[in-house]
Amino acid sequence: QDLRRLGDLEGERALALFNHGREDEAERVWLSGLAAYEAAGALAEQARTLRNLTFLRRLSRDERLTLARRAVDAAVVSGDPIVEGSARHQLSDQLYGAGDIAGASEHLHLAVALLERGPESIGQARALTSAGRLHRVLGRPTESVTLNTRSARILERMGYLAGAAQALDAVTRALI
């Protein structure tokens, strides 16, 4: 329990550092938290931390893909569908960026289904926005509009108006 709490504290500290542009320090703190979670056998928390590490700008695409895959592996074993959905969404985004549209689509389909098992969330809405982007790129504007509209409605209900505006902008792009 103490190791899990240490991991939680390190995760919060790392996020604050990351949000203030101190990525090198954030990475060191996230890795410290990850070690605590590994020692505690806290798989869901390991998955969240590995996912967070993929946002470090200094990492190569291959490093991000490796971390995202590790996050999915830990999330699957954890049995937490929301954590798995979040990890799969991040892996999907990394695969999309690497040009692997089929892989991105596979993981994103699973991510959305898993995230929809829980209550509406910003993570669920973001996965819907990513799915909308994927459908737009694949030449399916109707599906893109539907997914991005759903995302915007969730974000609006949650009071995240900047995210809702982004999703509505994606609707416009799908229609052009």
Side-chain angles (χ1 to χ4, degrees), residues 123-147:
Q124 181 188 79
R126 287 183 174 157
L128 290 168
T129 301
S130 291
R133 175 193 63 201
L134 194 58
H135 281 282
R136 179 179 51 82
V137 167
L138 293 172
R140 297 182 224 152
T142 302
E143 292 90 341
S144 179
V145 167
T146 299
L147 291 162

Side-chain angles (χ1 to χ4, degrees), residues 25-103:
E25 293 172 80
E27 180 179 13
R28 282 192 296 278
V29 175
W30 266 323
L31 289 172
S32 171
L34 180 61
Y37 288 142
E38 287 170 341
L43 292 166
E45 292 81 358
Q46 289 175 49
R48 284 188 195 104
T49 304
L50 290 161
R51 179 189 168 278
N52 287 343
L53 285 163
T54 67
F55 291 102
L56 296 170
R57 288 182 294 232
R58 72 156 195 82
L59 298 179
S60 69
R61 175 71 61 198
D62 286 342
E63 290 169 315
R64 286 185 178 127
L65 282 166
T66 297
L67 288 167
R69 285 186 175 108
R70 285 181 58 200
V72 168
D73 290 345
V76 167
V77 175
S78 82
D80 185 321
I82 305 305
V83 173
E84 182 182 345
S86 179
R88 285 188 184 281
H89 176 208
Q90 183 61 11
L91 176 56
S92 171
D93 280 354
Q94 294 302 319
L95 291 167
Y96 178 88
D100 181 356
I101 303 302

